[in-house]
Amino acid sequence: MNNRYAFDLTQVKDSLKAHDDLADYCDAIDRLGFVLSTLAELQDATMALDAIAEIHTDPEALQIVSAALMTHAIMAYCRATHSSGKGRKKVGATKKYTPDQEKKHKGIADLRDQVIAHYGTPTHRHGLKWLDERLVVKIVDEAELYAFSRNRANYLAAAIADLRELLAVATTTAEEVMEERSRFLNALNLKHIGDKRVVDALSASPFDPYAFHGVGQMADAFWDITQKKRSETLRNGDW
């Protein structure tokens, strides 16, 4: 007997959001989704730094992909802790930072804002060391030419060390928030379990991991309740 099933709470929330008296339930779904999405970003950043460490002894691989990995780590971390947008509210992952860690966080944010994502004027140490560009005039015999010389880091060991420290604290804090919000949503599930609108919305929102991820190991692993790894499919090309 197959006794496993799942519900798409994102779809449930969308179908119930017009009911003002269920706003607390819809908000709780959103809030838990925000922290889980934030945790995924923090995990992305950590995995990118792990990948840099793994290829550290391979000079060719380091030259080819380390810059992309470092950029991904910085962008993922800042999406989780720094960027402000309407799509996902912050969950307080940085609220337990010490004053020194706050300073390091500002340094990473400055690197993202002024160097990685935009061309600006960095003010913190990582950004100041990341990029040096010079317009040069060179004279060879009687020929005068302008040249552009650029010195850009693939990654900085000091920035990686700061990111590692910040990610450890932010991830632990976000996990604590996740547990708190999970308990709150569980309580609301019990509160509204007799509401026909909620029951109907759940019934109309089954989640099929095979339809979502496609047939394969990821969909199979979705049902393993002993593993905490998020279920995720990475796509190439059009979709």
Side-chain angles (χ1 to χ4, degrees):
M1 180 179 179
N2 189 343
N3 194 31
R4 61 187 192 184
Y5 48 88
F7 300 108
D8 184 340
L9 292 181
T10 301
Q11 185 172 311
V12 169
K13 182 259 301 183
D14 288 341
S15 67
L16 295 175
K17 61 184 179 182
H19 301 283
D20 292 341
D21 59 325
L22 292 175
D24 60 340
Y25 185 57
C26 293
D27 182 63
I29 292 173
D30 260 344
R31 284 167 54 80
L32 180 55
F34 292 155
V35 70
L36 288 169
S37 177
T38 296
L39 271 169
E41 300 272 30
L42 295 173
Q43 291 164 0
D44 284 344
T46 300
M47 287 189 292
L49 297 184
D50 288 346
I52 293 176
E54 288 177 9
I55 64 172
H56 190 69
T57 57
D58 186 336
E60 184 176 358
L62 208 61
Q63 183 66 28
I64 294 172
V65 302
S66 62
L69 289 168
M70 189 67 188
T71 296
H72 180 54
I74 292 167
M75 296 298 287
Y77 170 79
C78 286
R79 280 196 302 270
T81 63
H82 169 64
S83 300
S84 297
K86 295 180 180 179
R88 181 181 66 199
K89 294 180 181 178
K90 291 182 181 178
V91 301
T94 65
K95 64 184 178 182
K96 292 189 177 181
Y97 283 177
T98 65
D100 181 61
Q101 289 166 346
E102 286 283 0
K103 183 178 179 181
K104 291 176 179 178
H105 172 69
K106 289 178 181 178
I108 297 296
D110 175 72
L111 177 58
R112 181 266 182 198
D113 291 346
Q114 304 299 330
V115 181
I116 301 298
H118 306 284
Y119 192 105
T121 305
T123 58
H124 291 67
R125 60 174 184 148
H126 301 318
L128 291 170
K129 290 182 178 181
W130 201 269
L131 178 65
D132 190 2
E133 295 180 336
R134 306 296 178 96
L135 173 62
V136 181
V137 60
K138 58 184 179 182
I139 302 168
V140 181
D141 295 328
E142 295 183 358
E144 182 177 302
L145 298 170
Y146 293 109
F148 180 71
S149 292
R150 188 185 200 215
N151 190 344
R152 184 181 180 95
N154 278 357
Y155 64 92
L156 293 176
I160 288 179
D162 285 356
L163 259 181
R164 287 279 193 193
E165 180 181 347
L166 296 172
L167 282 164
V169 177
T171 300
T172 298
T173 303
E175 287 173 343
E176 292 171 355
V177 175
M178 176 193 67
E179 293 295 335
E180 177 186 341
R181 294 185 180 184
S182 295
R183 289 192 295 270
F184 185 71
L185 181 56
N186 286 339
L188 288 180
N189 280 328
L190 291 175
K191 174 183 176 181
H192 295 296
I193 196 62
D195 190 317
K196 186 176 184 301
R197 296 168 299 174
V198 174
V199 174
D200 289 346
L202 287 167
S203 298
S205 305
F207 182 80
D208 181 356
Y210 298 99
F212 189 80
H213 293 292
V215 177
Q217 183 178 4
M218 186 58 66
D220 292 338
F222 173 83
W223 297 109
D224 183 359
I225 61 174
T226 65
Q227 60 92 22
K228 295 184 178 180
K229 183 179 179 181
R230 69 182 191 252
S231 60
E232 178 177 52
T233 302
L234 301 177
R235 289 184 293 257
N236 294 319
D238 296 332
W239 57 280

